[in-house]
Every structure is written in C-alpha cells, then in structure tokens.
Amino acid sequence: MYKIFVAFVKKEFYHILRDRRTLIILFGIPIALVLIFGYTVTNEFKGASIAILDQAHDELSREYMLHLQASGHFEIVGNAYSYEEIEESFKSGEVKMTIVIPPDFGQDFYRGEKTKVQFLADASEPNYASTLINYASQMTRKFQMEKRGNQKRPFQINIESRMIYNPRLESAYNFIPGVVALILMLISAMMTSLTIAREKELGTMDLLLVSPLPPLIIILGKVTPYIILSFLNALMILAMGYFVFDVPIYGNVFLLMGLCILYLTTALALGVLISTKAPTQQAAMMGSLFSLMLPTMLLSGFLFPISSMPALLQAISTIIPATYFIEILKAIMLKGVGMEVIWFPTIILFLMTFFLLGVAWKNFEVVSK
Amino acid sequence: MKRLLFIIQKEFIQIFRNKAILPLITVAPIMQLILLSYAASNEVKNVNLAIVDQDLSSYSRRLVNKIRISDRFSIIDASYTESHVLALMESGEVDIILQFPPNFETEFLKGEDISLRIQVNAINGQGATIGFSYLNNIIQSFNQEIQGEVKGMPRKIKQGGIEIEHSYWYNSELNFQHFMVPGILGELVTILVMLLTAMNVVREREIGTIEQINVTPIRNWQFILGKMVPFLIIGMVLLTVGLIAGKLIFDVPMRGNLALVFAFCALNLTAVLGLGLFISNLVDTQQQAMFVAFFFVIIFILMSGLFTPIESMPEWAQYLTLPNPIAHFVEVMRKVLLKGSDFADVMFNFRATVVLSIVFNTLAVMSYRKVD
C-alpha cells in the first residue's frame, strides 16, 4: 500500500511540476507579497503635500514654513490665496492639508499676544488627516519653543518609554507573520480544494474512486505535494523576512516548524472540506476566496486590529485559524517564548483540525458512496 | 449584430443557470461590503493596559482613574510587581504597562525630576505609537491639572503663543467607514468581474463547449464582446446595489455627480474585462486562470491605496500604481462621493483608464485564437 501511495504522490507531483505557470504563481505570489508589504504597504508618511495660505508674509511666517518643510514630513506644494482655492486643491487631491497663517503673525507673537494658526485637512481620509494634524501640531509647538528659547519648567512628569519586542517600530515585524499565515492558507487550502474539485468536474474522480485505491489514500496523495510545497514556501518567506527585512526569530526554530505543519494541516483540512462540497472548480474557487482568503486577510488581526472591530466580527475572528497562528508566530519569532505561553492557541488549532477533518471525512464518505 | 445579441443571451442563460455562481455574484459582494467596511479600520479603539503602582498615593490613584474613564483604555490588571504584568504582555493580553515608581507623589511635590515608566508591546508599530500617544495625552493633561495645585509654582510670564485650531473637511467626525465603503465598493466590483471573466473562456475550453462556438461563423470581436457585455452589466448592477447599501447602512455621503461614478465604472470595467479575458486566453486550465488572476488581484488591492495611502509608498512603487485599474477606481469613488470632485479633478484617472482599456482589450482580441 505504501508503495502505491508513493507512486500516487509522485504522479501528482509531476502534474504540478509540469505546469510551469502554476509553479511560478505558487512561488511568485509569496515573493511578490513579501516585497510589496515590505517596501510599499506603510502608513507612515513622508513628504505629504501641503499648501500655505500666508496672510502675514513676515519673517516669522517664512521661518515657520521652513521649519515645517525641514522635517521632511511635509512638502509645500503651493500657496493658496483664498478658501475657494483651498477647496479646489482638496478636490483635485493635490493637497492634503492647508495651513492658514493669520495677518500680523510675527508681530503678535513677539509682542506676547496670542496668534492663531489654522490647520485645514482633507479628512475624506480620516487617519491620514489626523496624523497630519498631529505632526503639524507637534512641529508647531517645537517651533514655538525654539523661538522662545528652551526653558526647563519644574513640576514636570517625565515619561520614560520603552518599545519592547520591536524597538525600531519596523512594520515588517508585524506583516511577516501575517504573510506566512495568509500564504499557507492560500496554497494549502485553495490549491487542494481546486485539485479535487477539478477531478470531480472533469469526471476523473469517478475513475479514481472505482480504482482499487482506498479513498483516503487518494485524498492523502493529492494533498501531500501541496503540504511539501507550502512548507517550502513558509521557509522561503521566513528566510526573506530574516535576510531582507531583518525580522528576527528569537524562539525555537523547530517548534516554529512543527507548528507551521500543524497550521498547514488545518488549512488542508479546510481545503478538502470545501472540495467535498463544491461541484465545480469555479465554485471551489469562489468558496475558498470568500471563506478563506478574505477572512484570513481581514479578520485575523493581520491588517487591522481585532480589538477595534465590532463584537460580531471579533466573534468571527475567533473561528479563523490564522488568528491563532499569527499569535503563535509572533510569540515564537519576536518574543522568543515557547509552549508555556502559546499552549492555548496550539490546542485550539489541534481541535479545529480534528473537527474539520472529521466533517470532511464524513462528507467524503457520502460523496464516494 | 443579431449574432452578438444571441451570444449575449447565451452568456446570460449560462450565468443564471449556474446555481453555484449566482449567490456569489449577488449576495456575497454585498455581505462583503458590509463586513469589510466594519473590519477595515486602522483606528485604535481599545488599548489593554496593565498598571504597576508602587506609589499607592492619591496622585497615582487619580491618574489611574483618569485613564479608567477614558474610553480608549481597558485596565486589565493592576499589580505591585512588574514580573506578573510582563508575563501578561508576553501572552499578548496587555498592550501597554504603566509603572509608577515608589515615592512618585512626594518627589513630585518636592519638584524633583521624576518619571513614569511606560512599556509598549511594539510588534504592531503603528498601533503601539497610537496607543502610546493616547496615554501620553492623558498624562500631560493630568500633569497640568496637578501643576495648578502645587504651591510655589512660578506664575507664567506673559508670552506670545501660537494657538492651533484645526478643522477636518469633508468628514468632520472622522468616520472611517465613509472613507472605506466607496473604496471597497470600487474594489469589489472590479475584482468580481475580473475573476469571472478570467475563468470564463478557459472554462469553455476545459469543458469542451468552445469547439461548438468555433464551428459557428462568429468573429473574434463578436465573441469577445459577447463575453464582455453580460459581465459589464453585472458589474454595473453590483455598483448600483452597493451604492444603495452604502447609503442605507453607512450613510455614505454622495456629494458629487453620480453619473460620473457610473461612467467611470463602465469605463473601468471594460479595462478589467479586457484583462480578465486576456488572462483567460493565456492559460490552459481554470486553476491556472484563477491563480494568475489572484496574483494580479492581490497586487492590485495592496497597491491600490485602498488600505494604505499611495503617497506613502516609495516613488518607484507609486509609478507601479498607474497601470492598476483598482487604484483609479478607488480614487475616483472617494473623490467624487466624499469631496464632490468633478470631471476635471478626475480627468487624469479617466485618461489612464482609457489607455488601460485599449491596451488590455487589444491584448485580449489578439490572444484569442478561434482555431488552434
């Protein structure tokens, strides 16, 4: 039986390896994802385009503008002369924020009067707008302190802060575990659900089922090559994270690998389950797209914080395997802890796997009879 | 013309007969729109905090109370020692630890240099910075409060000050959903149409029905057009339903001209359809089609400015968003709906999409071989 199984796996492997395009995609998507996330997906901003409506035109207002520009966070792309012009530049998207400097800016400041600077932000993009305003406010305060000469005041509570696990606030620390979880889910679950659905659609599944091979061997034979491929992929992503983006792995590498395999199995179980349900490849694809890829991307805490979601979505995130796997990856890689901390998510993944395999098995028996 | 109509009719029958696909192009996108719009928020609404209070003074209690009543923080744990809360941070239950040193209050009243210690779980750098700044704000305002109570605090010398006043245009409540819904709708319409078309021709080839079409006197362009029109209509219907849902559920503002939105959608869909068909012509199996389409979809979404601003990308990457139809659609939807931008403001996107449409469709027609 073992020999037959190996032969079957070999045959499936040939199928995959012969298909160059799929192979390119299989390794291309992960590489592209890691690079895109690493280099382009960022919320920090540099060189945000702002405009100035300077009603003072004095020494201080010029110094203030230079001060804003010198930080590199802002790029002054133009001067506005009226509020209508500000609106126009917002609508065309050329400018994200306009700073209005009042007349007599310098005069009032040096005389010890209050003077009022206005920040008008295009808040159709709320986060961007509030970050811009925060930055500009901070820089304005700093400018004011510099102009007055720094005086230390008593009765000041200082803050000593420490950013732990990621002192340089690298975004790669956050996205590499997420990408690993996403890719393993995509490849293991979607590919398997498709291969099995394909056999069904083309009618070749019936041929396999009447062959002397037991159904379990057929499923395992179809799944094994994808286990190996997605595991290779996981290693590749972790290596890219380590060498290209300096994401450390502080914990036990073997524990990490072992839990990768556990998660792979969970994903595969899901894939098999979908394929037992889906009559065609198209249905399998749509099924895995909506039930696997999007939830994994959006509700696992990979892109958006779970704690900010409404209660219903938080509840959904607890049944998504990636939620637990990302937790495990971050714990092992970045915090360098072991089983004593991650026993809970590990047990959940185990239970999920058994449950999914059970349901898939039951479905499959019905289908094959 | 008549032939074209027949093909379109046939496509529609094929789509509506397919019971597995039907719910996926009707219910699923709307569900997604709702779900995504709730989920896709970068706001940090809740920070889990642990407190180590070695001072146990009235000041420390007052500050803790101030934190407790702000709706941003949940105080998970309060303890006298650090090791216990560090374990909580390790297991991920706590995001920030705030620590009061012993004699915090007495030293403060003496006017000595003292500091509070804050430790932040910074794996998610952005979240950490935001959480830290929330806490910092509370501490600063507390500091001002108690400074006022201290005797012997030097009177402020009269000094000029720059006061800051800010206003948020177009979205004064900073409602994140108003920003996300138009973008997500644009993304959903594009992707659905692209995936469906990408698998379409290759499906005919795989199940053998393409042979039957090949023996008919249909021309290439008729075949391609016949495939496109039904999906174009589906895309437009989806946009309409999505806009209605966005208005009813999220009260998304629609300041601009809706005709502009629909016109751009139609244009954008022709571009995407061309790309989908091109992919379909290029590959041999539906599986390949799906993966090639996915490859594009993932890159298109992540580099569309939907979740993270394009302006923040490095310059080379910003150029890469030019041939991305989703990026244009998302931008047009947001500009027109939220800001009421007019045609002149989105002309660039129109031009770019016309070019994309021509390029993708030429590729699609050229790559379709009726006879192998």
Side-chain angles (χ1 to χ4, degrees):
Chain A
M1 201 38 116
Y2 176 73
K3 251 177 136 178
I4 300 174
F5 175 68
V6 172
F8 191 81
V9 171
K10 259 193 188 158
K11 170 202 152 249
E12 289 293 323
F13 241 122
Y14 285 136
H15 268 301
I16 300 171
L17 294 183
R18 209 180 42 190
D19 183 355
R20 283 277 159 73
R21 267 172 245 177
T22 310
L23 211 59
I24 291 172
I25 295 293
L26 224 51
F27 286 93
I29 288 186
I31 293 177
L33 267 183
V34 173
L35 293 178
I36 290 177
F37 268 104
Y39 288 118
T40 74
V41 175
T42 166
N43 277 305
E44 301 157 25
F45 65 95
K46 280 181 199 135
S49 334
I50 64 170
I52 307 266
L53 199 162
D54 187 356
Q55 298 165 324
H57 288 291
D58 54 25
E59 192 68 28
L60 190 70
S61 76
R62 261 188 297 278
E63 277 180 54
Y64 179 52
M65 277 194 259
L66 278 177
H67 174 81
L68 289 177
Q69 198 151 17
S71 67
H73 291 302
F74 299 109
E75 193 181 326
I76 300 177
V77 292
N79 290 311
Y81 297 97
S82 67
Y83 282 85
E84 288 76 46
E85 256 185 348
I86 296 174
E87 175 140 23
E88 261 320 299
S89 62
F90 281 165
K91 278 187 176 171
S92 67
E94 284 158 47
V95 166
K96 301 282 170 194
M97 180 172 74
T98 305
I99 297 181
V100 183
I101 299 175
D104 304 325
F105 180 59
Q107 214 178 341
D108 285 346
F109 182 82
Y110 288 119
R111 255 199 227 147
E113 306 278 335
K114 291 257 178 239
T115 175
K116 200 176 269 174
V117 185
Q118 257 187 322
F119 297 157
L120 311 174
D122 167 5
S124 60
E125 190 162 352
N127 266 0
Y128 203 79
S130 57
T131 323
L132 280 182
I133 287 197
N134 274 337
Y135 267 66
S137 308
Q138 272 174 31
M139 271 149 50
T140 307
R141 268 182 234 120
K142 218 175 130 204
F143 175 71
Q144 170 166 291
M145 288 223 305
E146 273 171 24
K147 283 279 111 190
R148 279 179 181 165
N150 232 334
Q151 315 155 295
K152 182 132 173 107
R153 299 164 70 196
F155 299 108
Q156 193 71 37
I157 300 177
N158 303 317
I159 289 171
E160 197 184 287
S161 66
R162 195 160 76 98
M163 296 286 167
I164 44 182
Y165 307 128
N166 182 6
R168 280 173 297 143
L169 301 177
E170 301 281 349
S171 64
Y173 282 44
N174 198 30
F175 79 77
I176 287 283
V179 175
V180 172
L182 179 65
I183 289 300
L184 292 189
M185 182 55 80
L186 274 181
I187 294 178
S188 353
M190 297 184 72
M191 291 295 264
T192 34
S193 73
L194 272 171
T195 39
I196 298 174
R198 179 180 156 84
E199 302 265 3
K200 274 207 266 182
E201 196 176 352
L202 298 181
T204 44
M205 197 63 175
D206 294 328
L207 287 179
L208 281 173
L209 288 176
V210 295
S211 72
L213 284 172
L216 184 64
I217 295 288
I218 297 174
I219 297 285
L220 280 181
K222 291 222 151 273
V223 157
T224 311
Y226 290 106
I227 300 187
I228 297 171
L229 283 175
S230 36
F231 190 66
L232 283 179
N233 251 309
L235 295 183
M236 192 181 75
I237 299 167
L238 291 175
M240 275 178 81
Y242 190 81
F243 291 110
V244 184
F245 296 107
D246 289 325
V247 180
I249 300 174
Y250 292 123
N252 186 325
V253 178
F254 295 103
L255 182 63
L256 188 71
M257 299 295 138
L259 289 169
C260 275
I261 292 172
L262 170 63
Y263 176 71
L264 271 179
T265 326
T266 321
L268 285 165
L270 265 170
V272 174
L273 180 58
I274 289 178
S275 67
T276 56
K277 286 276 184 206
T280 61
Q281 289 183 71
Q282 227 174 5
M285 183 202 87
M286 288 297 188
S288 19
L289 177 66
F290 293 130
S291 61
L292 300 177
M293 181 178 144
L294 288 169
T296 302
M297 264 173 91
L298 297 162
L299 299 177
S300 65
F302 165 34
L303 289 178
F304 309 106
I306 294 176
S307 60
S308 300
M309 295 175 192
L312 177 69
L313 294 186
Q314 293 199 19
I316 297 176
S317 79
T318 60
I319 57 165
I320 295 173
T323 309
Y324 301 96
F325 186 55
I326 291 177
E327 204 179 314
I328 291 174
L329 286 178
K330 285 182 179 170
I332 299 180
M333 290 168 64
L334 307 173
K335 299 180 183 170
V337 294
M339 258 329 190
E340 72 286 355
V341 172
I342 51 167
W343 58 271
F344 180 71
T346 309
I347 287 177
I348 298 267
L349 280 185
F350 260 114
L351 292 178
M352 279 182 174
T353 311
F354 284 123
F355 175 76
L356 291 168
L357 281 177
V359 179
W361 182 240
K362 238 184 138 212
N363 269 333
F364 186 70
E365 290 216 305
V366 175
V367 174
S368 60
K369 258 166 203 165
Chain B
M1 198 61 210
K2 227 174 170 181
R3 277 187 202 144
L4 189 60
L5 283 179
F6 276 130
I7 293 231
I8 293 172
Q9 198 183 2
K10 168 211 144 240
E11 287 297 327
F12 264 118
I13 294 172
Q14 240 174 357
I15 293 166
F16 286 114
R17 213 177 37 193
N18 193 337
K19 290 278 177 298
I21 291 299
L22 207 53
L24 290 169
I25 60 175
T26 49
V27 185
I30 299 304
M31 288 291 297
Q32 266 194 73
L33 179 70
I34 298 169
L35 204 85
L36 273 174
S37 307
Y38 277 120
S41 158
N42 276 312
E43 253 179 290
V44 178
K45 283 191 189 139
N46 178 51
V47 182
N48 291 328
L49 193 78
I51 288 168
V52 180
D53 186 354
Q54 293 167 327
D55 191 37
L56 294 173
S57 62
S58 67
Y59 276 174
S60 69
R61 268 191 295 269
R62 260 170 73 183
L63 180 55
V64 171
N65 245 331
K66 253 180 115 69
I67 295 167
R68 200 185 304 269
I69 53 176
S70 91
D71 48 5
R72 303 278 191 190
F73 293 96
S74 314
I75 298 180
I76 298 291
D77 195 271
S79 143
Y80 191 76
T81 54
E82 200 185 345
S83 58
H84 171 63
V85 288
L86 275 178
L88 285 177
M89 184 173 276
E90 233 170 35
S91 66
E93 282 159 70
V94 160
D95 306 313
I96 297 185
I97 298 172
L98 168 67
Q99 197 169 356
F100 293 90
N103 307 324
F104 170 73
E105 183 175 312
T106 31
E107 287 186 23
F108 174 83
L109 288 172
K110 280 189 210 154
E112 274 170 45
D113 214 26
I114 43 149
S115 25
L116 291 173
R117 203 158 162 228
I118 297 177
Q119 297 185 74
V120 187
N121 175 352
I123 289 179
N124 176 352
Q126 204 208 355
T129 331
I130 296 174
F132 177 72
S133 74
Y134 289 159
L135 187 58
N136 197 5
N137 282 342
I138 297 182
I139 294 173
Q140 295 312 334
S141 87
F142 173 72
N143 194 4
Q144 278 185 358
E145 206 178 294
I146 57 176
Q147 270 174 356
E149 296 165 14
V150 177
K151 288 187 188 108
M153 172 87 189
R155 282 250 156 248
K156 272 188 195 159
I157 316 140
K158 194 183 174 195
Q159 257 180 345
I162 304 175
E163 251 178 57
I164 297 164
E165 195 182 70
H166 57 245
S167 70
Y168 294 108
W169 288 23
Y170 310 115
N171 188 355
S172 51
E173 282 150 41
L174 298 181
N175 183 326
F176 210 74
Q177 273 133 21
H178 287 181
F179 173 63
M180 286 317 285
V181 171
I184 289 172
L185 185 57
E187 176 243 76
L188 278 179
V189 172
T190 324
I191 287 176
L192 184 87
V193 168
M194 180 167 150
L195 287 180
L196 284 175
T197 42
M199 295 181 76
N200 193 286
V201 180
V202 74
R203 178 162 194 267
E204 300 243 15
R205 211 179 301 146
E206 237 181 2
I207 58 181
T209 46
I210 200 122
E211 306 289 327
Q212 290 159 23
I213 294 172
N214 282 345
V215 295
T216 63
I218 284 176
R219 291 171 181 282
N220 270 8
W221 65 268
Q222 285 174 326
F223 177 73
I224 297 278
L225 207 58
K227 288 268 169 208
M228 287 173 72
V229 174
F231 292 115
L232 188 70
I233 295 173
I234 291 175
M236 298 301 277
V237 171
L238 188 61
L239 176 73
T240 316
V241 178
L243 283 174
I244 295 171
K247 186 79 213 166
L248 293 180
I249 301 170
F250 298 102
D251 197 25
V252 172
M254 296 180 185
R255 301 205 170 88
N257 187 348
L258 281 182
L260 191 59
V261 172
F262 279 97
F264 188 79
C265 178
L267 173 64
N268 197 274
L269 287 180
T270 51
V272 173
L273 283 160
L275 181 60
L277 286 176
F278 177 55
I279 293 173
S280 198
N281 290 339
L282 222 58
V283 297
D284 312 315
T285 62
Q286 289 185 68
Q287 200 187 27
Q288 285 179 356
M290 191 202 88
F291 277 99
V292 176
F294 250 53
F295 187 72
F296 281 108
V297 163
I298 290 178
I299 294 176
F300 279 174
I301 295 181
L302 289 177
M303 296 188 67
S304 68
L306 181 61
F307 298 126
T308 53
I310 290 179
E311 292 88 359
S312 305
M313 298 174 185
E315 212 177 316
W316 58 265
Q318 293 193 19
Y319 287 114
L320 288 183
T321 65
L322 292 180
N324 178 351
I326 297 182
H328 296 292
F329 202 2
V330 167
E331 196 178 326
V332 170
M333 289 286 276
R334 281 175 176 164
K335 273 185 176 172
V336 177
L337 292 182
L338 301 179
K339 297 195 264 190
S341 301
D342 54 26
F343 182 67
D345 296 319
V346 292
M347 190 144 68
F348 173 74
N349 305 97
F350 261 93
R351 280 195 187 138
T353 312
V354 168
V355 174
L356 288 181
S357 182
I358 293 171
V359 172
F360 291 151
N361 283 294
T362 313
L363 287 173
V365 175
M366 272 170 29
S367 62
Y368 175 62
R369 297 265 170 272
K370 197 171 139 182
V371 187
D372 282 316

